[in-house]
């Protein structure tokens, strides 16, 4: 069985088309979207994605949760697999939208299809779809136990949830002019599952001359007040090293295909990760991480996390420009250390 990566060379032309959207459907109230040769429709339960080689149907709540991440993260690093069939690959300026391209059964059947778009144009299409298809009472960033349903005919919208901006520190939380600590006053209440987390803050006593350059904050308190799930913030940036902590509950809506190595440090509770081959989706491992466990996700896998209760995770990212090309070319091995 061939699992060779489909060759998507840098010479693939970029379709600069902008999307079109229909009038609201007379029965369901939802608009249909089209960009390039892809079309998107939703009904009361499902999203339906059509390409020239096939139709793919997805549960609407899972679809919106995935779409929310793809939009909010500007296509993220590498692959955002909504499921085992459809998703996007970030080429940083352009983006591939695919059906079955990273699924060995689709490739063998010849029903895989990919089209490359200008990132801003695809983002505009996805944002408009996300807004139209998200009903009042459903927050695609929230844990399922903390929100209503997306199902049913069109019922208002939830732009406040869909426009949620994650906090991205430039250097470090609490440095002058940078991200602030989370508090009730700023609208960040303690989550129902983190009421036992200490809410104290460290005292900072800088030596004369170093005022404004020394900072510390309580990361557990910060995460205990995260209103969303599976949506890393940035709390520190040191050169190209970014600390991206996040609070997790239920399932990571996307199966992230790494274009670089990334590290996970489980700060509380437990997450199980299903790990698969990045190109074919073939299962490779299940990893259960408990508080204090550290793991490295290689550059040649996809992973999806399962968090049975709200937990705290630190994702450590390497933002070095061009890193994705060095892994893709084989210059760098897919793991950080070879024994
Ligand atoms: C990841 O793909 O590495 C990832 C994404 C979002 C999270 C955690 C991990 O909340
Ligand atoms: Fe990842």
């Amino acid at each position: 069985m061939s699992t060779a990566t489909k060759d998507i060379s840098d010479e693939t032309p970029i379709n600069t088309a902008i999307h079109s959207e229909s009038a609201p459907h007379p029965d369901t109230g939802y608009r249909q979207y089209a960009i390039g040769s892809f079309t998107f429709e939703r009904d009361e339960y499902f999203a339906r994605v059509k390409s020239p080689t096939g139709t793919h149907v997805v549960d609407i709540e899972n679809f919106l949760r995935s779409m929310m991440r793809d939009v909010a993260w500007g296509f993220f690093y590498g692959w955002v697999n909504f499921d085992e069939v459809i998703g996007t690959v970030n080429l940083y300026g352009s983006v591939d939208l695919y059906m079955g391209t990273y699924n060995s059964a689709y490739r063998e059947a010849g029903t895989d299809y990919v089209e490359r778009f200008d990132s801003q144009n695809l983002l505009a299409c996805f944002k408009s779809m996300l807004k139209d298809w998200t009903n009042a009472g459903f927050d695609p960033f929230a844990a399922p136990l903390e929100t209503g349903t997306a199902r049913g005919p069109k019922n208002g919208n939830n732009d406040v949830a869909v426009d949620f901006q994650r906090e991205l520190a430039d250097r470090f939380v609490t440095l002058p002019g940078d991200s602030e600590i989370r508090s009730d006053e700023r609208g960040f209440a303690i989550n129902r599952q983190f009421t036992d987390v200490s809410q104290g803050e460290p005292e900072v006593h800088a030596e004369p001359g170093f005022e404004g350059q020394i900072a510390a904050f309580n990361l557990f308190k910060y995460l205990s007040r995260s209103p969303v799930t599976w949506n890393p913030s940035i709390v520190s940036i040191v050169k190209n090293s970014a600390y991206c902590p996040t609070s997790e509950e239920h399932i990571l809506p996307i199966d992230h295909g790494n274009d670089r190595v990334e590290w996970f440090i489980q700060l509380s509770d437990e997450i199980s990760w299903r790990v698969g081959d990045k190109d074919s989706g073939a299962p490779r491992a299940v990893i259960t991480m408990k508080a204090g466990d550290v793991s490295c996700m290689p550059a040649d896998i996809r992973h999806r996390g399962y968090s049975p209760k709200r937990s705290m995770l630190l994702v450590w990212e390497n933002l070095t420009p061009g890193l994705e090309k060095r892994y893709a070319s084989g210059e760098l091995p897919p793991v950080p250390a070879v024994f």
Side-chain angles (χ1 to χ4, degrees):
M1 177 157 101
S2 160
T3 55
T5 310
K6 191 182 168 78
D7 178 35
I8 298 174
S9 69
D10 280 336
E11 285 75 49
T12 304
I14 299 171
N15 182 343
T16 55
I18 58 170
H19 78 273
S20 61
E21 44 190 81
S22 73
H25 190 279
D27 298 331
T28 63
Y30 296 108
R31 296 178 194 277
Q32 295 179 11
Y33 291 78
I35 187 162
S37 301
F38 281 94
T39 61
F40 298 84
E41 300 166 18
R42 88 151 276 190
D43 58 31
E44 295 194 16
Y45 282 121
F46 305 115
R48 220 169 277 270
V49 183
K50 296 182 182 171
S51 85
T53 56
T55 298
H56 185 58
V57 62
V58 188
D59 172 81
I60 190 60
E61 293 193 349
N62 292 341
F63 183 85
L64 293 173
R65 290 187 180 109
S66 299
M67 184 61 91
M68 182 75 252
R69 272 72 184 177
D70 217 14
V71 165
W73 304 341
F75 302 118
F76 208 34
Y77 310 101
W79 285 250
V80 171
N81 296 286
F82 284 36
D83 59 14
E84 65 287 358
V85 178
I86 57 162
T88 57
V89 193
N90 194 351
L91 302 161
Y92 309 98
S94 61
V95 57
D96 284 347
L97 174 62
Y98 55 82
M99 184 181 289
T101 308
Y102 302 95
N103 176 310
S104 47
Y106 272 70
R107 286 208 301 258
E108 273 160 39
T111 48
D112 52 315
Y113 183 80
V114 60
E115 213 169 318
R116 184 164 296 178
F117 294 100
D118 173 85
S119 296
Q120 291 312 316
N121 292 348
L122 189 64
L123 195 62
C125 174
F126 279 11
K127 262 190 193 159
S128 184
M129 194 186 319
L130 182 63
K131 288 204 169 188
D132 188 64
W133 290 7
T134 299
N135 286 325
F138 179 70
D139 178 349
F141 264 138
L145 287 177
E146 296 188 337
T147 191
T149 181
R151 299 184 174 126
K154 175 106 176 123
N155 166 29
N157 53 40
N158 193 354
D159 287 352
V160 172
V162 168
D163 289 332
F164 182 87
Q165 297 289 321
R166 61 202 178 122
E167 297 184 282
L168 305 175
D170 292 323
R171 290 199 296 155
F172 192 84
V173 172
T174 69
L175 277 178
D178 215 324
S179 285
E180 296 170 43
I181 57 171
R182 291 178 176 157
S183 60
D184 291 336
E185 295 72 49
R186 290 187 59 226
F188 294 97
I190 302 172
N191 183 265
R192 76 196 197 288
Q193 294 198 338
F194 287 141
T195 51
D196 58 342
V197 172
S198 157
Q199 297 293 309
E201 287 289 346
E203 290 180 16
V204 177
H205 303 276
E207 290 288 329
F210 293 93
E211 297 90 350
Q213 297 180 45
I214 307 285
F217 72 103
N218 179 346
L219 178 61
F220 288 94
K221 170 182 170 187
Y222 184 91
L223 286 172
S224 73
R225 292 170 177 271
S226 168
V228 295
T229 57
W230 307 104
N231 186 34
S233 302
I234 295 184
V235 295
S236 73
I237 302 247
V238 179
K239 295 192 176 167
N240 289 311
S241 164
Y243 267 11
C244 313
T246 155
S247 74
E248 319 294 45
E249 183 175 330
H250 191 234
I251 303 172
L252 173 59
I254 61 149
D255 217 315
H256 180 220
N258 286 10
D259 66 3
R260 65 197 65 206
V261 160
E262 68 181 346
W263 292 80
F264 291 160
I265 302 169
Q266 189 68 36
L267 298 179
S268 87
D269 303 280
E270 182 177 310
I271 297 178
S272 293
W273 292 93
R274 280 197 205 169
V275 181
D277 183 83
K278 186 168 70 182
D279 286 326
S280 68
R284 260 174 70 172
V286 176
I287 296 162
T288 295
M289 295 183 64
K290 297 178 190 288
D293 287 347
V294 177
S295 74
C296 172
M297 292 286 157
D300 60 354
I301 57 101
R302 65 180 73 180
H303 55 267
R304 191 190 286 267
Y306 294 74
S307 187
K309 68 186 289 290
R310 210 171 187 90
S311 71
M312 298 181 182
L313 174 71
L314 180 62
V315 181
W316 183 23
E317 292 286 357
N318 186 338
L319 306 181
T320 304
L323 205 53
E324 71 285 359
K325 293 196 174 66
R326 298 172 66 189
Y327 282 111
S329 70
E331 177 198 333
L332 297 173
V335 290
V338 181
F339 299 101

